[in-house]
Amino acid sequence: MLGYAIDEQQCDLFSLALTDLSVQAEANAVMLMDTGGNILASICKADDGVLSTVAALAAASFAATRELSTLLGESGFNAIHHQGDDSSIFIQNAADEFLMIVVFDKNTTAGLVRLYVGKAIQELEPELLRVAGQGYQLTDRPNAVFEFNESSDLFGRRVTPNRLPDARAAAG
Amino acid sequence: MSFVNFGKREINFKIVYYGPPLGGKTTNLEHLHSVIPDESRGPMTMLSTRQDRTLFFDFLPLQSNAIKGFVSRVQLYTVPGQTIYNQTRRLVLNSVDGVVFVADSQWDQMENNVESFSNLEENLKSYGLALNDVSYVLQFNKRDLPNIAPVHYIDFMLNQRETKAPGFEAVAVDGGGVHDTLNMVSKMVMAKFIEDHSMPVNEDYDDSRLAIQEA
């Protein structure tokens, strides 16, 4: 099963668009990801592990909502807005395979966020459609050779196990 | 479905722990979370019911330098084992690269094992995938309990294919076999990626910006 790739120029293009969006919408964090939870670009101060978790949960939230829409006979809900007391999240589908996520607070409004997300998606849509359709395009990258590093243990192992405080806390 | 970001030098993989209810899928991830160093993993997230049963999925992001010049991001998911949550199980399988099937070794769970395995194949089919399209390993869990079936029996029930999947005996609650299972499925996923996508080196290609750097 083939996946897909983005190159340096596309990565720069997406990062630039997200920077503009975060300024215009006065957002705290902006992320462009696919519907499987893979992050294409992000403007956020959180570390990679937290970003991955946000992406996975947002992808799941959107997927569950899409299933709900199917049950209701809708062709699909295009956007989700989770409203909190202080922070809110807006998620909008882009080019069918991708999601734009914006985290914002009381300094801006949902309407403004929605407006600028729509504009950003409109600008990025041709490139996103190209990404979705192009696959790896490794024929354009003859030196893209993937090789294993010599290691039998891919992730390492602690001597003394940690006793899971954050996992249990998250479980509630 | 692996995703390569050449701009960030990252490759993303998704591995799903599948299996019958109460088979030890969440326990696998809990153990991995406890033994993998902080720099190689993110926080573990559990979407559970009040009874600590998985409602949607558990999630543990890992990273490795297993592929030269890239950060390999491996996202581990579990699915809810209970029959009623099939729709969420199917959603979690979206874009999967590798599967760990966690079988419960107890005799009275054999029917659940077979049913869950069949359910895995059905749900993969909904994405146009056959089991052989993804890398998968079997884990024979709960080997410490009494009244367990021999490994060769469970293997016979679940592993009758042209290409047999690797199998690991495990006691997930103590961590036995858990790390080995993860290493194997991760290597299989990455090896398949390398095999599917590597191109021969072109000596004349002189765009040094695109060349892979040695880790």
Side-chain angles (χ1 to χ4, degrees):
Chain A
M1 179 185 178
L2 295 177
Y4 68 98
I6 62 171
D7 62 26
E8 292 85 347
Q9 288 78 14
Q10 287 168 324
C11 190
D12 291 346
L13 174 74
F14 296 145
S15 295
L16 197 63
L18 263 54
T19 304
D20 288 346
L21 174 59
S22 73
V23 172
Q24 290 166 338
E26 298 182 52
N28 295 338
V30 185
M31 193 185 293
L32 178 64
M33 52 182 267
D34 66 18
T35 51
N38 295 309
I39 301 167
L40 278 69
S42 63
I43 304 294
C44 182
K45 286 176 186 159
D47 67 36
D48 290 338
V50 174
L51 277 185
S52 296
T53 304
V54 170
L57 291 171
S61 175
F62 190 81
T65 307
R66 183 170 267 188
E67 291 295 315
L68 281 173
S69 75
T70 306
L71 289 173
L72 294 177
E74 287 288 330
S75 57
F77 295 142
N78 195 36
I80 310 171
H81 178 199
H82 296 299
Q83 187 174 0
D85 288 337
D86 296 315
S87 291
S88 300
I89 298 179
F90 182 73
I91 305 172
Q92 185 160 332
N93 187 228
D96 202 41
E97 298 288 327
F98 303 94
L99 300 173
M100 185 77 85
I101 302 174
V102 178
V103 180
F104 60 99
D105 60 23
K106 289 174 178 170
N107 290 324
T108 188
T109 64
L112 197 68
V113 169
R114 192 179 190 118
L115 174 72
Y116 283 113
V117 167
K119 282 185 177 176
I121 287 175
Q122 201 173 2
E123 283 173 21
L124 293 177
E125 195 158 38
E127 198 60 44
L128 290 172
L129 287 170
R130 215 168 357 255
V131 170
Q134 74 188 5
Y136 279 102
Q137 289 286 322
L138 290 182
T139 48
D140 295 339
R141 316 176 63 86
N143 276 12
V145 178
F146 301 104
E147 290 178 324
F148 265 122
N149 271 325
E150 296 291 325
S151 170
S152 58
D153 193 345
L154 302 186
F155 306 101
R157 197 185 309 225
R158 291 174 193 275
V159 179
T160 312
N162 172 22
R163 279 295 105 193
L164 301 172
D166 54 334
R168 284 299 180 198
Chain B
M1 183 179 64
S2 50
F3 161 58
V4 187
N5 187 331
F6 283 98
K8 290 183 164 183
R9 316 296 300 171
E10 291 177 357
I11 309 174
N12 288 26
F13 301 102
K14 179 175 183 177
I15 293 172
V16 175
Y17 283 66
Y18 212 95
L22 297 172
K25 301 177 288 296
T26 298
T27 311
N28 264 265
L29 259 64
E30 283 182 322
H31 178 76
L32 291 168
H33 178 271
S34 73
V35 297
I36 291 176
D38 294 354
E39 60 271 21
S40 297
R41 66 154 178 82
M44 182 170 168
T45 303
M46 302 162 85
L47 303 182
S48 314
T49 64
R50 287 193 180 278
Q51 291 77 38
D52 258 358
R53 302 291 300 275
T54 303
L55 176 64
F56 202 150
F57 57 79
D58 306 311
F59 177 72
L60 179 62
L62 305 177
Q63 68 175 47
S64 166
N65 63 353
I67 295 177
K68 285 183 184 176
F70 287 84
V71 173
S72 298
R73 297 196 182 282
V74 180
Q75 302 177 337
L76 304 185
Y77 288 79
T78 66
V79 295
Q82 291 172 278
T83 314
I84 55 167
Y85 296 131
N86 189 50
Q87 199 64 358
T88 51
R89 266 198 300 280
R90 198 181 66 76
L91 288 178
V92 174
L93 277 179
N94 183 24
S95 304
V96 68
D97 294 297
V99 172
V100 174
F101 187 85
V102 182
D104 190 325
S105 294
Q106 297 175 97
W107 276 114
D108 61 3
Q109 292 301 312
M110 287 306 120
E111 194 178 333
N112 283 340
N113 286 331
V114 172
E115 196 175 301
S116 177
F117 200 85
S118 164
N119 177 256
L120 166 64
E121 290 185 294
E122 274 174 34
N123 281 333
L124 284 173
K125 204 183 288 179
S126 73
Y127 291 109
L129 291 172
L131 197 52
N132 287 338
D133 293 328
V134 298
S135 305
Y136 74 101
V137 302
L138 296 172
Q139 185 185 79
F140 312 111
N141 194 23
K142 306 192 182 183
R143 300 307 299 169
D144 57 328
L145 296 184
N147 198 26
I148 54 172
V151 166
H152 65 80
Y153 180 85
I154 311 173
D155 195 64
F156 177 78
M157 301 276 280
L158 304 175
N159 210 4
Q160 289 300 308
R161 288 166 193 282
E162 213 168 282
T163 310
K164 293 189 90 177
F168 292 87
E169 293 189 53
V171 183
V173 73
D174 292 333
V178 171
H179 219 82
D180 294 338
T181 307
L182 172 69
N183 270 326
M184 175 57 81
V185 72
S186 302
K187 282 178 184 173
M188 287 170 69
V189 163
M190 291 176 193
K192 187 172 190 311
F193 170 83
I194 290 171
E195 187 186 326
D196 286 348
H197 304 298
S198 285
M199 301 290 291
V201 177
N202 181 350
E203 299 295 338
D204 299 329
Y205 193 75
D206 61 356
D207 187 346
S208 58
R209 198 164 62 92
L210 297 182
I212 310 297
Q213 301 298 309
E214 292 288 321

